[in-house]
Amino acid sequence: MWGNGLPLKLTKQSLNAFKSSIPWEKIPKTLQDAMIIAHRVGLRYIWIDSLTIIQDDRNDWEVEAKKMADIYSNAYFTISAAESVDCHYGILNRRDASIEHIQVWPPLPDQKRDEVKIFYSDELLPGRIYARRMWSRYQRLWPVDKRAWTFQERILSPRVLCYSRDEIVWSCRCATATELWPSLDPTPGMDALARALGLNSLFNVDEGSFVEIMTLLPRFLDADDIEEYISDPENIKEYLSDFWCKVVEQYITRHLTFLSDKLPAIFGIATALRSDPVRALLLGAYHGGIFEGTLPRSLAWHTIPSDKRQLFDRSISTSCQAPTWSWASVESYVLFIFTRWESRAKDQCKLVAMSDDEITLRGRVVTTEVECITDNDRMIGFGLPLYNYDCSRKFVRVLWDMSTGLVAQLPKAVTCLLLGYEESHMHDLGGYALVLVSVAIHGRSGVFQRVGIAQRVNRKCFEGVEEMEVTII
């Protein structure tokens, strides 16, 4: 249940009363309609998070949130209230189908084509041509597609019954059907490689964001190529790493009411990916939104402010309740650098230890200073002198995790850990390095927090540097 002012929810106080009964008139309309739909198809039970998870019990919430993968993957079907902006909007509402009036004029003497105009119409008049927009899996503007929690609900559910303003849309792991196009339309699906890895049995690939994810990954058509490719476990690990990064990039564009839900709302997908022993072995343990097996390239993310909001002015401590090395630590869109299939990355540091709170890496580290970059006496940002191999004053670009105002408050001296570089890049300028600041913790040394990532770093700046261990929190 979502929206402002939740009128009905399971709490410690209401638990005993709910065990006896829940008055029908107190149930919001959207939930009433969902219950009616379930009853009409012959189902006795329905799972609604706000009525089955004790909302003011953090322990109960954390336990149940980890079951999301099983709940949605094993559901008979999931009801999606596509147009509902809150729990009062309802599902079984009066149809207000959008129609469009099409007017066609013959070409004038100086024109080669007919003139066609399309505009919305509130009434149907005889002798005119009308049309309705077809549902598209590639372009969805429904409110349900903007919420972060519904991302894993849609792609983990084997079947989804979606109620929109205009029509009902049915989608499953095999096909899609709508009222306007009732014959089953096979989904784009996954290629043979994804099926060989068992991903087709996990996800409803018809979900709009998921379709885009699959178009960004390599597709193999020849069976011999697939067999040769998956014979190398490192290739499978790289594919799964790219897959997860694309999932995160799609997920992070959605809205969360509580920033603390950023990791729990995608945990179900991570759990599903590790459900197979082979995938679990290759991916490794999951901490802070990142799989151990995808390191260090999964640390190479950078922020992308949206059009409507600037970078989150986070200090070193963040309200997202995630360590600074995690993409979940910032309130911003993120992109991963090493997910371009055409360019392989050469890893330059190794994992030592990892937990939900911190990560320890071993690699080559240099200390440098943050410099103000100006153009005609006008400040244009902050950079690092890691362009020339002797670390002279030509700067590399830094994609900071925070606003420029907060960058100006950072200590001048920063530590850079070389993550890797692109093998195909010319002139040794394909390196990427985490930018870190030291943190004073009693009884510990070598502890840092991430503040950004430097790109186009000259890897010769790190040549001859002795490897050391750094812990990032």
Side-chain angles (χ1 to χ4, degrees), residues 165-233:
R165 180 185 61 183
D166 299 330
E167 59 183 338
I168 300 174
V169 178
W170 164 272
S171 66
C172 63
R173 291 171 181 166
C174 300
T176 298
T178 69
E179 292 182 51
L180 191 61
W181 194 270
S183 58
L184 291 177
D185 177 25
T187 62
M190 297 186 176
D191 70 340
L193 173 59
R195 294 196 299 271
L197 299 178
L199 301 183
N200 60 310
S201 63
L202 294 178
F203 304 115
N204 187 336
V205 297
D206 181 70
E207 205 284 334
S209 298
F210 207 90
V211 172
E212 184 172 349
I213 290 171
M214 297 312 302
T215 63
L216 297 173
L217 292 171
R219 299 182 70 86
F220 290 80
L221 301 177
D222 190 280
D224 292 336
D225 291 342
I226 296 173
E227 185 175 351
E228 179 182 354
Y229 181 82
I230 64 177
S231 64
D232 185 351

Side-chain angles (χ1 to χ4, degrees), residues 10-200:
L10 179 62
T11 62
K12 295 177 182 178
Q13 183 177 358
S14 63
L15 178 59
N16 288 331
F18 277 21
K19 289 180 179 179
S20 174
S21 65
I22 302 176
W24 180 257
E25 62 274 9
K26 291 186 177 181
I27 300 175
K29 187 177 187 311
T30 299
L31 305 190
Q32 285 183 348
D33 289 348
M35 295 176 184
I36 292 172
I37 293 169
H39 178 72
R40 287 180 177 175
V41 298
L43 299 180
R44 294 184 60 191
Y45 301 101
I46 185 171
W47 185 88
I48 299 173
D49 56 358
S50 61
L51 301 183
T52 54
I53 301 176
I54 303 176
Q55 300 296 301
D56 56 353
D57 187 332
R58 186 67 186 179
N59 292 332
D60 186 64
W61 189 90
E62 290 180 352
V63 169
E64 296 301 319
K66 292 180 178 179
K67 299 178 182 178
M68 293 297 182
D70 289 335
I71 290 172
Y72 286 104
S73 297
N74 294 297
Y76 191 75
F77 66 86
T78 296
I79 300 171
S80 176
E83 304 283 355
S84 293
V85 294
D86 56 37
C87 59
H88 303 284
Y89 186 89
I91 302 174
L92 305 175
N93 298 319
R94 178 182 174 84
R95 285 287 179 89
D96 183 23
S98 59
I99 58 175
E100 294 176 341
H101 177 202
I102 302 177
Q103 291 185 345
V104 181
W105 288 272
L108 297 175
D110 58 341
Q111 293 177 328
K112 295 182 178 180
R113 296 182 179 179
D114 298 342
E115 182 180 356
V116 178
K117 289 187 177 181
I118 302 176
F119 54 89
Y120 286 102
S121 176
D122 295 327
E123 57 180 344
L124 296 175
L125 299 176
R128 296 189 178 182
I129 303 174
Y130 295 92
R132 280 177 53 190
R133 290 185 180 271
M134 289 187 64
W135 169 88
S136 171
R137 62 171 57 93
Y138 298 97
Q139 186 177 13
R140 292 183 180 176
L141 302 175
W142 295 328
V144 72
D145 295 314
K146 299 176 182 178
R147 296 193 295 272
W149 274 105
T150 62
F151 183 71
Q152 67 177 7
E153 295 172 8
R154 292 291 296 272
I155 68 176
L156 289 175
S157 300
R159 309 167 196 86
V160 177
L161 194 59
C162 183
Y163 286 79
S164 71
R165 180 185 61 183
D166 299 330
E167 59 183 338
I168 300 174
V169 178
W170 164 272
S171 66
C172 63
R173 291 171 181 166
C174 300
T176 298
T178 69
E179 292 182 51
L180 191 61
W181 194 270
S183 58
L184 291 177
D185 177 25
T187 62
M190 297 186 176
D191 70 340
L193 173 59
R195 294 196 299 271
L197 299 178
L199 301 183
N200 60 310

Side-chain angles (χ1 to χ4, degrees), residues 329-340:
S329 66
V330 293
E331 186 189 357
S332 170
Y333 299 164
V334 299
L335 289 176
F336 290 85
I337 295 173
F338 292 140
T339 56
R340 293 184 298 275

Side-chain angles (χ1 to χ4, degrees), residues 218-373:
R219 299 182 70 86
F220 290 80
L221 301 177
D222 190 280
D224 292 336
D225 291 342
I226 296 173
E227 185 175 351
E228 179 182 354
Y229 181 82
I230 64 177
S231 64
D232 185 351
E234 288 301 314
N235 287 338
I236 300 176
K237 184 189 294 187
E238 186 174 72
Y239 183 91
L240 293 174
S241 175
D242 280 5
F243 177 83
W244 175 249
C245 289
K246 290 305 175 186
V247 167
V248 170
E249 289 176 358
Q250 290 291 325
Y251 163 77
I252 206 70
T253 63
R254 297 190 173 210
H255 173 71
L256 275 170
T257 303
F258 303 103
L259 292 178
S260 58
D261 288 350
K262 186 173 289 187
L263 288 174
I266 198 175
F267 184 79
I269 302 176
T271 302
L273 274 175
R274 297 188 74 253
S275 61
D276 174 76
V278 174
R279 292 195 304 268
L281 179 64
L282 293 173
L283 288 170
Y286 176 78
H287 300 286
I290 291 176
F291 292 99
E292 285 185 1
T294 66
L295 294 169
R297 67 185 61 189
S298 53
L299 296 175
W301 52 266
H302 64 88
T303 53
I304 298 290
S306 70
D307 294 335
K308 295 183 179 180
R309 58 184 179 185
Q310 296 299 315
L311 261 179
F312 179 45
D313 279 345
R314 74 165 170 92
S315 58
I316 293 301
S317 60
T318 167
S319 60
C320 295
Q321 298 184 0
T324 59
W325 46 264
S326 170
W327 53 266
S329 66
V330 293
E331 186 189 357
S332 170
Y333 299 164
V334 299
L335 289 176
F336 290 85
I337 295 173
F338 292 140
T339 56
R340 293 184 298 275
W341 187 254
E342 301 81 10
S343 176
R344 285 177 172 262
K346 184 76 172 180
D347 298 337
Q348 291 294 297
C349 64
K350 295 182 179 180
L351 173 68
V352 176
M354 187 179 189
S355 69
D356 289 340
D357 302 316
E358 61 183 49
I359 184 172
T360 300
L361 300 167
R362 183 173 184 83
R364 288 179 286 178
V365 174
V366 298
T367 299
T368 186
E369 293 185 349
V370 178
E371 300 285 351
C372 179
I373 304 174

